[in-house]
Amino acid sequence: MKKKLPYFIVLLMTILFVGCSDDDNKNELVPEDPEVVIPGEVLKESYTISRFKVLTINPNLAANSQLTWSVNDSIISETAQLEFISPYAKNYPLTLKVNSNGVVTTYNSTITITKETTTYSKYISNVLDFRPGIGQFTNEIPLYVAGNTEAVVINTAKKALVGSNTTMVSLGSFGGYVVFGFDHTIPNMGGRDFKILGNAFWGSEASESRSGSCEPGIVVVAYDKNKNGVPDEEEWYEIAGSEYFKNTTIKNFSITYHKPDPNKQPVAGIEFWQTDVEYISWEDNLGNTGYKTKNVFHDQSYYPLWIADASYTLKGTKIEDNFYDQSGTGNYWVGKSFEFGYADNAPNNDEASNIDISWAVDKNGNYVKLPGIDFVKVYTGVNQEAGWLGEVSTEVAGAYDLHLK
Ligand SMILES: [Ca+2]
Ligand SMILES: [Ca+2]
Ligand SMILES: [Ca+2]
């Protein structure tokens, strides 16, 4: 390996060369003492930011420097750029140790976290997108009114989900999604960080514990790194729930739903509730095809009526079917709750409805270290119809930051 001159020496030489006349002795340009202070400001004396906002510190250092950031005596980061967030209004003594080719220099600063001047909401503050799968509650929750554009429907979903006094949206069959955001960054602290509300409950007659109406939704998060309030240049990271690494989970699954012809003759099934067992045809990217059934309990179109296209495709990670017919006669279906990391997968008062930002992974399945998150996407993660109960469909009824008190 080629040995390079330490960056600060190169920099110092450059500065001195610029400022020196030709007859200077070049030997004097090499400093005798290696503990030379790096020119230019590395850290400011102090930094100030309000709580629930990310402070980014980018010290001007050589690329090969090894950085160690500490608050008190705890190492908080070893990355070139520090992203710091806290839910507490207090001062943090910050230390940066820079190891540049074996020469260690220490810098001290203070991070002052102030109380915010505007009031934050711990709840969802905006809904950015909504596109359900097909389903018995599609066009009803939220309600579609003839002539509504997609923008109007998204606004209806927004009215349902923003703030503390929420109702609900139904995401329909596999892949149906909603995207929402917060008015501050939810910090990634120790343990779980935010809750997603749904309508899951334990079945009163379920023989298995932790089962009932659990319709797991995949959770995907984004951190507004460029701090412009919208998820634009940022990457989305999937929350690796308990099923993520299992071989029963299919990554990059996609399914296409075809718009039903309202004039088509329905094909009744053998069960009384099966109005049309060839209602909506679908195919997935694994070569499977099938129909989604229309049932007697819901007569409206199950295909989002504001989508003019003859078909649409939804994508994501598919987890295994979790519903089964406990009765054996089709009367009593139960859905098992997965252990952690999904929406609408456990009652709202259960720990399993809380999400830890540290579970986020990149597209290769590697854990990522996020200071916090600003945006969340939830989509239905199962492609199953549970008899007369209809398709397994994640419901979202709000969400909130567990740290903002
Ligand atoms: Ca956390
Ligand atoms: Ca952004
Ligand atoms: Ca549900």
Side-chain angles (χ1 to χ4, degrees), residues 49 53-56 71 76 82-86 92 111 113:
I49 195 156
K53 296 282 178 195
V54 174
L55 170 73
T56 304
V71 164
I76 56 166
L82 178 69
E83 290 179 312
F84 188 84
I85 185 168
S86 170
Y92 293 88
I111 298 174
I113 304 291

Side-chain angles (χ1 to χ4, degrees), residues 101-297:
N101 292 327
V103 180
V104 177
T105 314
T106 301
Y107 303 89
N108 293 304
S109 180
T110 304
I111 298 174
T112 300
I113 304 291
T114 57
K115 178 95 168 64
E116 64 278 10
T117 49
T118 57
T119 307
Y120 297 146
S121 165
K122 73 175 182 177
Y123 301 100
I124 293 171
S125 70
N126 197 12
V127 170
L128 299 112
D129 204 356
F130 170 66
R131 176 163 277 209
I134 64 96
Q136 58 191 334
F137 294 108
T138 298
N139 298 307
E140 287 193 339
I141 307 174
L143 186 65
Y144 166 82
V145 177
N148 281 174
T149 60
E150 183 166 55
V152 171
V153 174
I154 292 169
N155 201 45
T156 311
K158 179 176 172 177
K159 283 180 188 147
L161 295 185
V162 166
S164 59
N165 188 17
T166 52
T167 54
M168 192 162 74
V169 300
S170 183
L171 301 182
S173 56
F174 177 86
Y177 62 84
V178 64
V179 180
F180 51 86
F182 296 85
D183 64 9
H184 62 279
T185 303
I186 298 176
N188 183 13
M189 308 296 287
R192 304 185 189 201
D193 306 293
F194 66 96
K195 179 186 287 290
I196 300 177
L197 301 166
N199 66 349
F201 56 89
W202 304 137
S204 57
E205 289 164 57
S207 46
E208 233 182 317
S209 67
R210 300 187 68 79
S211 65
S213 181
C214 303
E215 304 181 287
I218 308 289
V219 181
V220 194
V221 296
Y223 157 54
D224 189 18
K225 193 174 174 68
N226 66 4
K227 296 170 182 153
N228 67 350
V230 286
D232 46 1
E233 295 169 358
E234 291 86 9
E235 243 182 272
W236 286 89
Y237 300 102
E238 182 170 338
I239 294 293
S242 53
E243 308 312 291
Y244 184 85
F245 295 104
K246 295 184 181 173
N247 61 13
T248 46
T249 296
I250 298 169
K251 312 276 166 56
N252 303 309
F253 180 75
S254 80
I255 185 166
T256 299
Y257 303 110
H258 295 273
K259 192 169 199 162
D261 174 3
N263 300 315
K264 180 185 87 74
Q265 196 61 32
V267 180
I270 51 166
E271 301 290 338
F272 79 94
W273 50 268
Q274 293 171 322
T275 305
D276 187 358
V277 294
E278 295 183 8
Y279 178 45
I280 290 178
S281 74
W282 58 269
E283 74 260 354
D284 66 25
N285 61 345
L286 304 174
N288 303 303
T289 61
Y291 287 100
K292 298 289 184 186
T293 298
K294 185 167 215 172
N295 64 46
V296 295
F297 313 111

Side-chain angles (χ1 to χ4, degrees), residues 42-43 59 61 64-82 93-100 103-109:
V42 172
L43 282 192
L61 290 166
N64 63 347
S65 305
Q66 292 170 340
L67 283 70
T68 307
W69 302 89
S70 307
V71 164
N72 294 319
D73 285 330
S74 301
I75 294 173
I76 56 166
S77 174
E78 294 180 314
T79 53
Q81 184 186 63
L82 178 69
L94 176 71
T95 303
L96 169 62
K97 281 195 164 71
V98 180
N99 185 332
S100 197
V103 180
V104 177
T105 314
T106 301
Y107 303 89
N108 293 304
S109 180

